[in-house]
Amino acid sequence: MKSKNKHAVSRRNFLKTSATAAAGFMILPRHTLGGSEFLAPSDRINLGYIGTGKQAQGLLHNIGAVRETMVLAVCDVDQKKRAHFANKATELNRQKAAHPVDVYADYRELLDRADIDAVVVASPDHWHALQVIDAAKRGKDIYCEKPLALSIEEGRAMVDAVRKYKRVLQTGSMQRSQYNFRQAAWLVRNGYLGQIQEIHVSVGEPVKQCDLPSMPIPDYLDWDMWVGPSLYRGYHPILSPPIEDDAWAWWRGYRDFGGGYITDWGAHMFDIVQWALDMDHSGPVSFVPPETPGAEEGLYFTYANGVRVHHRHWGESNAIQFLGSEGTIEVSREFLRTQPGSLASLAPKSSDKPVYHSDNHYQDWIDAIKKRSKPICDVEIGHRTSSVCNAINIAYELQRPLQWNPKKEAFDDPYANLMRGRPYRKHWDFRDF
């Protein structure tokens, strides 16, 4: 199930026999131990990675650039991917201090390590709730990729667990740490567009049922563990591509594993809408899907203040258009276009309502761990955004208008309320924490 677990070998004896040497080491001046770049082991945040696919590769680079971090272990049910990732992590460690990286096939063994301070959860969405809750129970801080949760019930359970065990969780909605989106959120919040009349969000289609044929399972992949808590279906390489393909896995598109583009890119773009409207602890009050069966856009949702948000392609992909009584904003990762044009570079006034300022999503997480504070995209924020995305998918699937109570996190529709959760297979269940 795992590689050599060096952390557990004679650890008690080592600590006992080396106590004198350690004490002597600790009284040396820090500058004699590596100059200004030296970082004491006690200052490091030791990390474990759960999930080692393409998204994790980027996280390894970005989080690894934070000097306080060190990777101790990685986990994946794909033997090839975890070995490749461990090699990359080992190379990264050499830039800071030589440290081996252990590999695991079962994330629970990684979580059992007392020397791991925090984990990066970059597994498919259907695993997020279990792995985050288990990590919180074991005292780990957490970086969890977006969308935070595959269901509304899972998201609330994740918030409850993080709060119960006093953990720090950063959701991977890193657009909040980018200038374009921060500027847009600040302008909207402070009325620089006047009264917001309408918002258009251009992301792709809703979730759909998985219709892929079953294929032979590769011998390097534990497919039963990959499916985990979701209802079982056969293997297909689109769901878990071989590492040689260097492809984005499209489990994202299918029910029981992901939420389509509504959660994949929507968790980025609807997140900025929530931020700009100061709805991070609330949400919309109604969802109205288009009447056309099978429609892939056309839904709109409304907030209590009357602001209506449309899911539609308005001319740009993966972008947002804010329409106000006194101006407009069009924003994506590539552009920030405003009317009046001066708004794009306008500096805040001291009297303006502030928005959380982070220039580095990953450093912000590490800083929050050290300060025991909430990061820019705390677990509640991630849950509220993923709830919007999941409610959109529910409305598209039921094809009828739904009222939503953001305080009670309940619909006015019994079938929609059943869809706030999902069934679990075998012994897997997130509820026991």
Side-chain angles (χ1 to χ4, degrees), residues 11 132 186 232 250 273 288 297 323 381 393 432:
R11 179 175 175 84
V132 165
W186 164 69
Y232 189 84
W250 195 236
V273 171
V288 179
E297 64 173 56
L323 305 179
I381 293 171
N393 271 328
D432 181 21

Side-chain angles (χ1 to χ4, degrees), residues 287-300 395-401:
F287 296 82
V288 179
E291 294 183 1
T292 306
E296 296 185 343
E297 64 173 56
L299 174 143
Y300 67 86
Y396 268 116
E397 290 189 280
L398 289 180
Q399 289 189 278
R400 56 175 175 264

Side-chain angles (χ1 to χ4, degrees), residues 398-409:
L398 289 180
Q399 289 189 278
R400 56 175 175 264
L402 300 171
Q403 299 296 309
W404 172 250
N405 184 323
K407 184 175 182 179
K408 295 181 179 179
E409 296 187 330

Side-chain angles (χ1 to χ4, degrees), residues 139-158:
K140 315 301 183 188
D141 295 313
I142 305 148
Y143 185 103
C144 183
E145 260 307 332
K146 44 57 60 184
L148 184 71
L150 186 59
S151 77
I152 295 169
E153 286 185 352
E154 286 181 345
R156 177 47 61 194
M158 293 160 83

Side-chain angles (χ1 to χ4, degrees), residues 250-283:
W250 195 236
W251 50 259
R252 294 166 171 81
Y254 298 110
R255 170 161 290 285
D256 290 332
F257 305 124
Y261 280 111
I262 292 295
T263 62
D264 187 52
W265 270 96
H268 283 306
M269 298 305 170
F270 294 120
D271 181 65
I272 300 303
V273 171
Q274 285 273 109
W275 194 25
L277 297 180
D278 199 13
M279 288 290 170
D280 279 338
H281 292 82
S282 186

Side-chain angles (χ1 to χ4, degrees), residues 292-401:
T292 306
E296 296 185 343
E297 64 173 56
L299 174 143
Y300 67 86
F301 58 87
T302 307
Y303 289 90
N305 62 5
V307 173
R308 183 174 289 187
V309 181
H310 295 262
H311 169 228
R312 60 179 293 269
H313 193 277
W314 52 268
E316 298 282 0
S317 297
N318 298 323
I320 310 166
Q321 184 182 58
F322 294 91
L323 305 179
S325 59
E326 299 176 21
T328 64
I329 295 174
E330 295 179 350
V331 62
S332 75
R333 296 180 187 178
E334 288 74 37
F335 57 78
L336 174 60
R337 302 191 289 248
T338 65
Q339 291 294 334
S342 59
L343 295 179
S345 58
L346 188 68
K349 295 181 290 190
S350 60
S351 58
D352 284 342
K353 301 174 188 175
V355 295
Y356 191 127
H357 186 122
S358 162
D359 290 317
N360 185 316
H361 208 61
Y362 318 100
Q363 183 71 61
D364 180 74
W365 176 49
I366 298 301
D367 290 345
I369 289 174
K370 293 189 293 186
K371 294 184 294 184
R372 309 313 299 168
S373 61
K374 292 179 182 178
I376 188 170
C377 208
D378 171 58
V379 62
E380 177 76 23
I381 293 171
H383 162 58
R384 291 293 184 168
T385 291
S386 67
S387 292
V388 171
C389 298
N390 288 320
I392 292 170
N393 271 328
I394 291 170
Y396 268 116
E397 290 189 280
L398 289 180
Q399 289 189 278
R400 56 175 175 264

Side-chain angles (χ1 to χ4, degrees), residues 179-196:
Y179 175 83
N180 284 3
F181 298 103
R182 181 172 61 248
Q183 184 75 354
W186 164 69
L187 290 169
V188 171
R189 275 203 193 185
N190 285 281
Y192 286 95
L193 301 187
Q195 183 69 34
I196 297 299

